[in-house]
């Protein structure tokens, strides 16, 4: 898919300096990327949980109708679809998400991937890709109360633990090199930070409690 025209930025995106990040190179060509985000003010874990269950719903952003996914990162996001619904329907556990984006709007950092939602509740979401039943790519976002804010941590594990899949890990390292990992860090910090601006308006009137207001 081609990169669409950027949507307007209605709010400034967070800079990388707002988060604590770490990239670990592990045995067998595995890597782990951890992003400890600056807490999200005025956001609750229930609001983030609601967001991931409704990420493809239409929203009004910058006076235009679009999917919530496109509004989430107005510059980098290209497409989201529910490749397979959850057993109970919708975007819950067991669903498969197709995600298309380009970090920093750069074609060399283009991603078109489909992952299984193996966890989605009020504590976080885990997206996993498996080869022969073994996880080779896992992205987990966890969130929790932090006073009147939400503490949000993102961890991406690239590569399988099994020595038999070391060749797969080498392939992943070529397709997702360190410079692309750094671009993903910036992208993730920007999109997570954008939730503090998007979610209050989206959750209002949808039965999701918002701090300081009636549900």
């Amino acid at each position: 898919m081609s990169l669409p025209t950027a949507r307007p930025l209605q709010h400034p995106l967070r800079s990388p300096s707002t988060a604590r990040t770490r990239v670990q190179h592990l045995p067998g060509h595995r890597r782990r990327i951890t992003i400890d985000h600056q807490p999200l003010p005025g956001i609750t874990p229930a609001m983030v949980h609601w967001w991931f269950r409704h990420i493809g719903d239409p929203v009004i952003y910058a006076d235009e109708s679009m999917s919530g996914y496109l509004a989430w990162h107005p510059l980098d996001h290209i497409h989201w679809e529910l490749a397979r619904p959850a057993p109970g329907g919708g975007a819950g556990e067991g669903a498969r998400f197709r995600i298309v984006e380009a970090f920093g709007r750069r074609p060399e950092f283009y991603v078109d991937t489909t992952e299984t939602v193996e966890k989605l509740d009020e504590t976080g979401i885990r997206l996993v890709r498996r080869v022969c039943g073994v996880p080779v790519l896992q992205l987990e976002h966890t969130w929790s109360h932090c006073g009147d804010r939400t503490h949000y941590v993102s961890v991406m594990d690239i590569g399988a633990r099994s020595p038999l899949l070391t060749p797969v890990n080498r392939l992943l390292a070529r397709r997702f090199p360190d410079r692309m990992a750094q671009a993903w860090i910036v992208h993730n910090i920007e999109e997570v930070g954008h939730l503090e601006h998007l979610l209050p308006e989206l959750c209002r009137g949808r039965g999701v409690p918002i701090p300081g207001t009636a549900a």
Side-chain angles (χ1 to χ4, degrees):
M1 294 184 180
S2 60
L3 191 65
T5 301
R7 281 76 64 192
L9 274 179
Q10 294 193 310
H11 309 282
L13 298 175
R14 285 186 176 182
S15 70
S17 64
T18 62
R20 292 180 294 177
T21 65
R22 184 183 184 189
V23 179
Q24 297 169 269
H25 290 80
L26 305 172
H29 299 276
R30 293 185 294 118
R31 284 169 295 163
R32 174 172 294 161
I33 306 167
T34 303
I35 306 174
D36 189 347
H37 297 273
Q38 179 178 294
L40 299 169
I43 302 298
T44 65
M47 293 167 69
V48 184
H49 180 211
W50 176 90
W51 164 252
F52 278 100
R53 290 186 61 88
H54 296 269
I55 191 172
D57 289 2
V59 303
I60 300 299
Y61 176 81
D63 297 323
E64 293 185 32
S65 178
M66 64 186 72
S67 75
Y69 179 76
L70 292 181
W72 188 16
H73 198 301
L75 304 181
D76 296 357
H77 284 179
I78 299 172
H79 178 72
W80 178 94
E81 67 181 77
L82 189 60
R84 183 185 70 195
E93 291 183 0
R96 286 176 63 79
F97 288 3
R98 182 186 178 198
I99 297 167
V100 186
E101 54 195 7
F103 312 141
R105 295 184 63 81
R106 295 174 60 176
E108 67 268 34
F109 298 150
Y110 176 91
V111 172
D112 185 342
T113 185
T114 301
E115 320 293 353
T116 300
V117 181
E118 295 198 354
K119 170 191 173 181
L120 178 54
D121 58 27
E122 287 201 9
T123 67
I125 183 173
R126 182 167 60 249
L127 301 166
V128 183
R129 174 179 289 189
R130 294 176 178 269
V131 172
C132 300
V134 178
V136 298
L137 180 66
Q138 176 173 290
L139 174 59
E140 184 157 15
H141 302 288
T142 59
W143 45 76
S144 58
H145 284 286
C146 180
D148 60 349
R149 303 176 175 221
T150 286
H151 182 211
Y152 194 119
V153 178
S154 303
V155 179
M156 180 186 286
D157 280 302
I158 307 171
R161 292 180 180 274
S162 171
L164 295 176
L165 292 179
T166 297
V168 174
N169 296 351
R170 292 196 188 99
L171 177 62
L172 289 171
R174 290 198 297 271
R175 291 188 174 180
F176 202 97
D178 284 345
R179 62 194 184 95
M180 190 168 180
Q182 291 297 328
W184 175 77
I185 288 172
V186 174
H187 169 86
N188 185 249
I189 291 170
E190 291 174 344
E191 67 181 1
V192 169
H194 206 209
L195 291 177
E196 71 174 280
H197 304 293
L198 289 178
L199 287 187
E201 182 63 29
L202 293 179
C203 290
R204 188 170 290 113
R206 290 176 169 87
V208 182
I210 301 172
T213 68

